[in-house]
Structure formats: structure tokens, C-alpha cells
Amino acid sequence: MLPWERCGLPGTQAHVPVLCHPWRRTRSVLSSMLAEEPRTPGMCPGGFSTLLPAPDTSLQRECSPLPAPLPGLQAGSCCRGPFTLLRAGPTASRMAKWLPRSTDLTRFCQKLNRVKTLEDDMMETSFNRCLSTIDLTLLGIGGMVGSGLYVLTGTVAKEIAGPAVIVSFIIAGFASLLAALCYAEFGARVPKTGSAYMFTYVSVGEIWAFLIGWNVLLEYMIGGAAVARAWSGYLDSIFNHKIKNFTETHVGAWQVPFLARYPDFLAAAILLVATAFISFGAKVSSWLNHVFSAISMGVILFILIMGFVLAQPKNWSTQEGGFAPYGLSGIMAGTATCFYAFVGFDVIAASSEEARNPQRAVPRAIAFSLGLATGAYILVSVVLTLMVPWHTLDPDSALADAFYRRGYAWAGFLVAAGSICAMNTVLLSNLFSLPRIVYAMAEDGLFFQVFSRVHPRTQVPVIGIVVFGLLMALLALVFDLEALVQFLSIGTLLAYTFVAASIIVLRFQQQKGDVAMPVAGGRPNPEPHEGPSCSELKEYESFSDKLHLVDRDKSKEQREPGQLKAAFEPYLEFLSDFYPGEVVTVAVVTLMVSAICLCSILVFGNTHLHLPTWSYSLLLVLFSLGFLLSLLLIWAHEQQHSTQTFQIPLVPLSPALSIILNIYLMLKLSYMTWLRFAIWLLLGLIVYFGYGIWHSKENLRELQPQRVSTRYVVFPGSSLEERVQAVQPSSQPATELPDTDIDDCKR
């Protein structure tokens, strides 16, 4: 079926249905183009269509038979690239109403998957680049070392893993390192605020980036509100719950689903105070974070020194249950829980637009903060399980209770102070990151434009800070957040998954500016020290302007990122016909589908699906093979090798391991979490299709009228000595001329 598209013709009404007919893949068409045989302008006889290249070229018209004569068709000349425009007459217009518009569907899918165009100078920003490596490191530590250090260690040790919680934290730290390295590479290469949203937008596509940003938005809101309520409850417990009793007595208790038992005014108040400090600017926020982080790390150092002094190795003996009482399954279950203790490092990537030297500061800050946080969790777990038997721990206040039971009740107040300061740093981290991600979405046109305004003096998105600070305070004041806390996990894991996939896609694409488009009428000027090379682009004004097919020495050919490696070309020659990066993109999708199926069998195969042993094993083998073959297919292509910025090692293996781990942990979440996640995604799609897709800057850029011109360059090819390709302007994808057999071209 022939594709239809809408196009406005000079002298006619806009949106007249027209027919774009592609070039015939025949030798005669290519031969006549090379010879530039003249053709009489005008209508072609009978059921023939006029084949026209893009405007402003020297190619002549060609006649090619239509699959079936259509009455009332008149020739025109406004199709892009080497396509024919056939303007429909009255009969064809009526027929067009009933024909499916495949080009409309194609264009719609292209809109959904368009990627962000980055500026030439990515260091230019409306923010204040004032943060150093130390500032970013302390922001990361503040985001990771929060109440989890004081609560999570005791909970996992007593209920899940025992003293082997140490191993759980080691494995969880390594798993988090895989995701953190992906963030580090992106933060160095794309020093723009937005974190996972921005990374997905520049590599995968617009709708996926919006959904990631939409989920991260809710994740930060719920996370900040939950930490504020935990901060309030911890402080209230120091005063024997007098605040809670006073509120229930004078305000009343609620018995409404999804609402808290009583309004938590203290939690809302601390969020409003934190919002006020954050709105003063990045430097003030960083200074405040330094103060709380210093107190928190001082308390941790005290806990470690006192803990090792009071340590009793017999608490790991078999008399107390041994080191790993719950076995390997308990260690892995503890790993899944401990993994969420490290989710705060993405604040560093969200702050990269305010870093002085993001190419160096972001990777270093992520590495330092993750290493220090992992060490703190491991060492605190060691001293906690050595001070008292693991089965006697109090899950709600393990550290304070351990010191109290060893006769150091006064140490409990220091632990409480450290816990409150640690939770303050987490609050600052959430309030610092959330408005900047919203700013990035609004700046790209995908979210409401009011949130893209930056205060001229403080150089922070004040409107976003105030609005989302108030929303976070409202959540903490009246809503029951216990049922929503698991939502944090799925949003974080989804963001990690897409960032890892984006690393693979971007690593096997050409860097911006690798293929420079020469100006019209001139040749690209090589560097003075460079001679003619195999990768040099040669420009011709028309096909007859000294077009020579020159035999190349393939052993000296420099391959571009995304192209098949020379060693695999004899075995996978059919993959050489694809554009660089296309096969890798398909392989990444296949890898993710295989990972989803493999993890689904592992999680649900024996429990929910009740698969027999033979089918369980067969499906595991099949999906494992699909995952490994996709990985090998990606590895068989050339990738970028840059020494200017940090790059994660062992690509694509490292991101692939991160992908499969994140998917596995997502599938371990409850079905209610997935149901809430689906509802939130639906709301996000309504916002995107109602506002974002129409106001996107990439959409507005596509609507701008641009002069269309075509130049022809010769690229080194694998099946041909050279391949002729039409190079379109940057606003349009390059349209490749028809493929021909080697023998046909040589004729």
C-alpha cells in the first residue's frame, strides 16, 4: 500500500492529501541518475509517476510505473528527499479519506521517540556553577546515609539476615555501584540538570524520558514526606510521644483510609523550613548540608569507636545462631532490602549543572560518596551485631537500644542527635533534587513552563522549590505514607534500568560533530597534519561531478561507533547494511525483553505459574540465551572511546548486569505497588499527550520552516567500495539512495 501524507502546495489550500512515491530500487534508475540523462519536465505518460529528488539539486526527473493507475492524480514537487509528490484530484481525495495514513503513524512514533538536541556549549547555564567536588560528595553522602543507617541495619539483622547483613550490604553496594557508574558517565558527558530524565531524553526518546521524570517526581515527593514523618516520630519518641498525644487530644484522630491517624504538624513544619533554606540558593543549601553531614559523620565515628571497644566476638558464635542463621536466601533477601539504602547518589547527577567542573567532579563525587556510604553501613552493621546478640536487637532503635543495654544510656542521646541530623540531610537532598528535575522537564517544554523560571539573584528555580515544598509538606501533614513507601523502589529501579540502557545506546552512537557537514560549495578542510584518510567525506554537487568508486584498503579503514567490527564482518556481513547504531538499538530492546522474561520465570515460575521442572528449565535456558546473544551482538560493534570524560568500564556487560538486577528487584515488589505505579503512569500519559507533546521544544523545532537542500557524499562501505548517500540538513534524517548489487553498480 502506498504511503499518504499531508503537505501544503503553493497556490492550494493547506493539508491537501498527496502521495509520496519512493524511488524504485532498480539499476536503470541509478544508472540514469549517474549519467544525468535529461528528462522532459511535466506529467509522465500513462500510469507513470514523476520521481523528484529534494529541491535545490541538479538531479533530473525520472518516470517509474505506479503499482496501479489512480484516476485524477496530478504531479507536484514538494516531497522531501528522493520521493515523488502526486497531488490528488477530486477522485483521489475521496479515496484518501478511506486509506490508512501510514506516514501519519510513522511520524507520530517518531515524535514519541525523538531525542533531545544538546547545545554546542553544554557548560552554559542559568544556574550558578558554584559546587566543588567536596560539596557534591557531601550531598551524595547526605542522600544515602540517612535514617536507614540507624533503623535499616537493625531491622535486616534481626528479621532477615542476622550478622550476615554485612554480606548483604557488600553485595548491595556492588549492585549500586553498577548503577552509580552509569550515572557518573552521563553526568560527566551531559553536565545538565535532570538526572535520569535528561540521560534518557538524549539517548532513548522523549516519551520514555517524560515517564522517567514523572516517576522520579513522585518518588522524591513521597520520599521527602516519609523522611519528614520519620524525623517527627523519632523526635517525638525522645519526649515520650508527648507531641503525638497533644495533637490527638486537641486536634483529634482520623479514621479515614489513605489519611494519617493524626495531622503531623511537626513534619510539615520541618519541610517548610527546609524549603525556605533551599530557596536561598545552591551555596546556602550546600553549607547547611555540610553542617548536618559533619555532625552525622561525627556521630557515626563515635558509634564505630565505642562499638569496637564494646564488641564481643561470641555474639557471632554458633551459640547465638551463627554468622548466617538464615542462609544464602536470607543474605539475598537482605541484599534486596539494603539496596534501597544507596538510592541517594542521583542527587549528584541532578546537581551537575551547578558544578564548577562537572566532567571531573561528578564521577569523583559519586565514587567517593558511594564508597564512604557503603563503608559506613558495613562497619555499623559489624559493631551492632558484635555489641549485642543479633536476635535481641530492637528493630525500631537498634543502635540506641544496644548502647542502653551495655550500660551507656547517655550514648542514646548522641545516636538520636546523629539520626535527626542524618534525616535532615536526606530532606535537603530531596528538596534540592526535585525542583531541578521539574525545571529540566519544564525547560524542554514537557512540563508547565512556569517551573522553568530561575530567580535572577539566587539562580535557583524558586517557583518549583516553593510549590513542590508545599506539596511535600501537605503529603506529610495529612496522608498515610506507609502504603506508598514501596512506590519509591519501583520509580528508582525503573530510572536505573533506563539509564543503564541509555549508556549502551549512547556508547554505540556517533558523537555530536563526528561527521561534520561541509558548507555548500566547498570541501571539508582536513587538519594540517592529516592527509587523506578512509573516513574522509568527499562532496560532489551532483552525481556526474567526478563520482568515482575507488577501491579501499579495508585493513586501514577507520570504523565509526555503531558499525560492525572488522573481525565479525565475514560472519555477520548482512548487518553491514544497517545504519551505525541501528542493530545495537534493536539488540538493547531484545536484551531488555529477554531480561524481563528471564526474571519473570525466576520470580513467578515456581510460585504463581507452577511450571513443571522441564518447562521451567527450558524457558530459563531460552531466555538466558536470548540475553547472552543480545549482549554478544552489541559487543560485536564498535563503540566510542573517549579519554576526555569518565566512561564506565566493561560496556555492555556492566550496564546489562545492572538492567537484569533492577528488573529482578522490580518484579519482587507487591502487585499493589505495580497497580499504583500503573495508575500514576496513566496520569503521566494524560499530562504528556495533553501538554508535553505539543509544547516540546523539539516539536517546535520541527515546525520551524527550514530550507531543504541535498548534498551527496561518499562513505566507505562494506558491501561496496564506496556507498553514495544523500546528506540532508540536521533537521531531517539522511535519506539513503537505493541499494544496488555490486555488479549493477560496476556496470
Side-chain angles (χ1 to χ4, degrees), residues 108-115 203-208 688:
F108 177 71
C109 293
Q110 290 174 348
K111 283 181 178 290
L112 297 182
N113 291 282
R114 59 196 170 197
V115 296
S203 55
V204 178
E206 184 174 282
I207 188 171
W208 311 108
Y688 175 73

Side-chain angles (χ1 to χ4, degrees), residues 173-343:
F174 174 76
S176 299
L177 179 65
L178 296 176
L181 291 176
C182 296
Y183 274 77
E185 176 171 339
F186 261 121
R189 293 184 61 175
V190 188
K192 292 291 184 181
T193 190
S195 190
Y197 157 77
M198 179 62 66
F199 305 155
T200 307
Y201 201 177
V202 300
S203 55
V204 178
E206 184 174 282
I207 188 171
W208 311 108
F210 177 85
L211 293 178
I212 291 296
W214 182 253
N215 286 311
V216 171
L217 185 151
L218 182 65
E219 169 198 338
Y220 276 118
M221 289 182 61
I222 295 178
V227 171
R229 289 188 70 92
W231 184 95
S232 170
Y234 209 95
L235 186 64
D236 190 29
S237 64
I238 297 177
F239 297 101
N240 296 322
H241 303 287
K242 292 181 179 179
I243 301 175
K244 173 186 174 183
N245 296 333
F246 178 84
T247 305
E248 290 183 345
T249 302
H250 293 82
V251 179
W254 300 336
Q255 302 294 333
V256 181
F258 301 108
L259 294 184
R261 184 177 177 182
Y262 65 94
D264 197 335
F265 294 103
L266 186 59
I270 187 60
L271 280 169
L272 294 177
V273 172
T275 299
F277 277 105
I278 293 291
S279 63
F280 289 147
K283 203 63 183 175
V284 175
S285 306
S286 176
W287 175 83
L288 194 62
N289 181 74
H290 286 187
V291 173
F292 289 126
S293 296
I295 298 174
S296 178
M297 288 189 292
V299 172
I300 292 173
L301 187 62
F302 166 79
I303 292 172
L304 295 180
I305 295 175
M306 287 292 296
F308 279 114
V309 170
L310 300 175
Q312 295 178 340
K314 67 176 183 179
N315 290 325
W316 286 3
S317 64
T318 54
Q319 289 82 4
E320 300 293 346
F323 179 75
Y326 297 99
L328 181 62
S329 60
I331 293 175
M332 297 310 297
T335 300
T337 305
C338 296
F339 180 81
Y340 305 116
F342 301 97
V343 299

Side-chain angles (χ1 to χ4, degrees), residues 412-490:
F413 292 99
L414 288 177
V415 173
S419 176
I420 291 176
C421 289
M423 285 187 277
N424 284 338
T425 61
V426 177
L427 280 179
L428 292 174
S429 173
N430 280 270
L431 282 169
F432 191 88
S433 301
L434 175 58
R436 284 155 176 81
I437 295 175
V438 174
Y439 163 84
M441 298 174 67
E443 180 69 14
D444 293 331
L446 301 185
F447 206 60
F448 305 111
Q449 199 69 24
V450 66
F451 295 113
S452 65
R453 298 177 184 174
V454 176
H455 195 277
R457 189 169 64 86
T458 60
Q459 293 181 290
V460 293
V462 174
I463 296 179
I465 293 173
V466 172
V467 169
F468 284 94
L470 291 174
L471 289 175
M472 204 178 291
L474 180 63
L475 280 176
L477 179 66
V478 298
F479 283 95
D480 179 16
L481 299 174
E482 292 184 4
L484 299 178
V485 168
Q486 269 203 331
F487 197 93
L488 305 177
S489 306
I490 194 169

Side-chain angles (χ1 to χ4, degrees), residues 373-557:
T374 305
Y377 277 109
I378 293 173
L379 292 176
V380 168
S381 300
V382 170
V383 300
L384 179 62
T385 53
L386 285 176
M387 285 174 62
V388 294
W390 60 271
H391 52 81
T392 63
L393 291 172
D394 182 4
D396 296 328
S397 56
L399 283 170
D401 182 68
F403 280 108
Y404 175 78
R405 290 169 55 191
R406 294 301 303 271
Y408 294 88
W410 55 269
F413 292 99
L414 288 177
V415 173
S419 176
I420 291 176
C421 289
M423 285 187 277
N424 284 338
T425 61
V426 177
L427 280 179
L428 292 174
S429 173
N430 280 270
L431 282 169
F432 191 88
S433 301
L434 175 58
R436 284 155 176 81
I437 295 175
V438 174
Y439 163 84
M441 298 174 67
E443 180 69 14
D444 293 331
L446 301 185
F447 206 60
F448 305 111
Q449 199 69 24
V450 66
F451 295 113
S452 65
R453 298 177 184 174
V454 176
H455 195 277
R457 189 169 64 86
T458 60
Q459 293 181 290
V460 293
V462 174
I463 296 179
I465 293 173
V466 172
V467 169
F468 284 94
L470 291 174
L471 289 175
M472 204 178 291
L474 180 63
L475 280 176
L477 179 66
V478 298
F479 283 95
D480 179 16
L481 299 174
E482 292 184 4
L484 299 178
V485 168
Q486 269 203 331
F487 197 93
L488 305 177
S489 306
I490 194 169
T492 302
L493 293 171
L494 186 67
Y496 287 178
T497 302
F498 269 87
V499 170
S502 300
I503 282 289
I504 302 177
V505 172
L506 197 64
R507 184 70 74 86
F508 290 87
Q509 288 180 349
Q510 287 183 325
Q511 288 183 344
K512 185 178 179 182
D514 279 356
V515 182
M517 294 300 140
V519 295
R523 290 176 177 272
N525 296 323
E527 296 293 333
H529 63 279
E530 293 181 355
S533 64
C534 298
S535 60
E536 180 184 351
L537 305 183
K538 299 185 297 185
E539 180 187 1
Y540 302 94
E541 294 301 322
S542 67
F543 281 97
S544 63
D545 184 13
K546 300 178 182 179
L547 183 63
H548 301 287
L549 298 177
V550 182
D551 190 12
R552 297 282 184 181
D553 184 4
K554 291 189 177 181
S555 63
K556 299 181 181 179
E557 183 178 348

Side-chain angles (χ1 to χ4, degrees), residues 30-105:
L30 181 59
S31 301
S32 60
M33 284 191 294
L34 293 174
E36 291 193 9
E37 299 175 1
R39 291 287 180 268
T40 303
M43 292 283 293
C44 289
F48 286 78
S49 62
T50 303
L51 295 179
L52 295 174
D56 301 329
T57 64
S58 59
L59 290 183
Q60 306 296 322
R61 299 178 178 179
E62 291 292 332
C63 292
S64 176
L66 287 168
L70 296 177
L73 292 176
Q74 302 171 0
S77 59
C78 88
C79 284
R80 296 184 301 273
F83 285 86
T84 299
L85 171 69
L86 296 178
R87 181 157 56 101
T91 306
S93 298
R94 289 192 297 269
M95 294 173 58
K97 296 179 181 179
W98 305 101
L99 290 176
R101 301 182 183 277
S102 59
T103 53
D104 287 348
L105 181 60

